[in-house]
């Protein structure tokens, strides 16, 4: 239901929250995630006959205040936020049309909006062009982490406070990182044409 999901996502942006599903009453709102609380939650969810992603729960356990989160909504807009809660916490509220849809989540200082792929570094847009995504993924590569921080910190910063990212040195072993997914498709098409053009491709 595109309209339902889109409206829910926009409400989360306005409320400055993020979170994952697998909702059920388990803790008071604001209870911080911990190894013990995560284990209690997973066991209770399983006893109700459900299946919850332990990888997703573990991903939320790693979130700390000051971390950066990035998401893409159904309308293809991207949002970057800096975590303002002490870490992931239980944001479920029974019978609430928004918070009643989540279990673990958190709050951000604000969300910075990017309207399309063209406003993002291609390395970041490329991560979101993958076909399948887990509920939560850590931004592991150092350069991608710096790019996400830069997207947030430079959005409203004046010239004296800008976060400078070292330029990527492009060579034969890493040039594809500087291309977006459409440019990569063009590159593959060029390769096929050059290699197999005489065969009718």
């Amino acid at each position: 239901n595109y309209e339902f999901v889109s409206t829910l996502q926009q409400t989360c942006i306005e409320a400055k929250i993020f979170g994952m599903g697998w909702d059920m009453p388990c803790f008071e709102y604001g209870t911080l995630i911990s190894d013990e609380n995560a284990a209690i939650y997973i066991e209770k969810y399983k006893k109700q006959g459900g299946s919850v992603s332990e990888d997703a729960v573990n991903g939320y356990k790693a979130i700390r205040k000051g971390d950066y989160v990035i998401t893409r909504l159904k309308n293809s807009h991207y949002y970057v936020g800096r975590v303002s809660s002490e870490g992931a916490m239980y944001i479920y509220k029974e019978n609430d049309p928004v918070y009643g849809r989540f279990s673990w989540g958190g709050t951000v200082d604000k969300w910075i909006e990017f309207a399309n792929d063209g406003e993002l570094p291609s390395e970041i847009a490329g991560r979101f062009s993958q076909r399948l995504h887990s509920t939560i993924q850590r931004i592991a590569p150092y350069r991608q982490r710096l790019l996400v921080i830069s997207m947030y910190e430079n959005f409203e910063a004046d010239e004296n406070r800008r976060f400078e990212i070292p330029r990527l040195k492009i060579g034969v072993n890493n040039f594809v990182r500087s291309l977006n997914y459409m440019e990569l498709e063009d590159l593959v098409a060029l390769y096929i044409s050059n290699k197999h053009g005489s065969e009718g491709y």
Side-chain angles (χ1 to χ4, degrees), residues 5-20:
V5 172
S6 181
T7 300
L8 178 65
Q9 289 177 335
Q10 286 301 323
T11 305
C12 290
I13 295 299
E14 292 164 13
K16 300 177 184 174
I17 63 168
F18 62 93
M20 70 176 207

Side-chain angles (χ1 to χ4, degrees), residues 1-184:
N1 187 329
Y2 179 88
E3 286 300 321
F4 173 81
V5 172
S6 181
T7 300
L8 178 65
Q9 289 177 335
Q10 286 301 323
T11 305
C12 290
I13 295 299
E14 292 164 13
K16 300 177 184 174
I17 63 168
F18 62 93
M20 70 176 207
W22 294 288
D23 55 297
M24 69 168 181
C26 192
F27 303 105
E28 288 185 15
Y29 175 87
T31 300
L32 288 174
I33 197 169
S34 65
D35 290 342
E36 182 183 1
N37 288 343
I40 291 169
Y41 164 78
I42 289 168
E43 186 61 30
K44 184 172 181 181
Y45 202 91
K46 286 179 178 177
K47 281 183 178 174
Q48 290 188 344
S51 174
V52 63
S53 169
E54 293 188 34
D55 287 342
V57 175
N58 288 333
Y60 272 83
K61 281 195 316 192
I63 294 173
R64 299 291 179 265
K65 184 174 185 175
D67 285 349
Y68 294 82
V69 291
I70 182 169
T71 187
R72 183 176 63 186
L73 305 191
K74 286 287 187 188
N75 64 5
S76 296
H77 289 213
Y78 297 82
Y79 289 85
V80 179
R82 185 174 55 213
V83 177
S84 58
S85 50
E86 291 303 316
M89 60 185 187
Y90 210 68
I91 62 171
Y92 174 84
K93 291 181 183 177
E94 197 166 5
N95 300 321
D96 187 283
V98 176
Y99 292 88
R101 305 266 174 200
F102 298 102
S103 56
W104 302 107
T107 60
V108 296
D109 294 317
K110 62 184 172 183
W111 288 112
I112 304 295
E113 180 181 15
F114 297 87
N116 56 59
D117 288 347
E119 296 182 5
L120 269 67
S122 59
E123 289 181 51
I124 302 302
R127 283 292 299 271
F128 283 92
S129 65
Q130 298 169 359
R131 187 168 182 192
L132 297 174
H133 286 277
S134 57
T135 301
I136 180 174
Q137 288 179 302
R138 184 172 179 265
I139 305 169
Y142 182 68
R143 181 172 169 80
Q144 288 178 4
R145 280 186 280 161
L146 288 176
L147 287 169
V148 170
I149 293 168
S150 178
M151 287 168 60
Y152 182 88
E153 297 295 342
N154 286 346
F155 189 77
E156 294 177 333
D158 61 41
E159 290 300 319
N160 297 325
R161 291 182 54 246
R162 297 195 70 81
F163 188 89
E164 294 298 328
I165 297 288
R167 288 191 178 275
L168 175 65
K169 292 182 181 177
I170 298 175
V172 295
N173 295 320
N174 70 351
F175 76 98
V176 293
R177 291 175 56 190
S178 68
L179 304 178
N180 64 38
Y181 66 94
M182 292 178 289
E183 292 167 336
L184 286 170

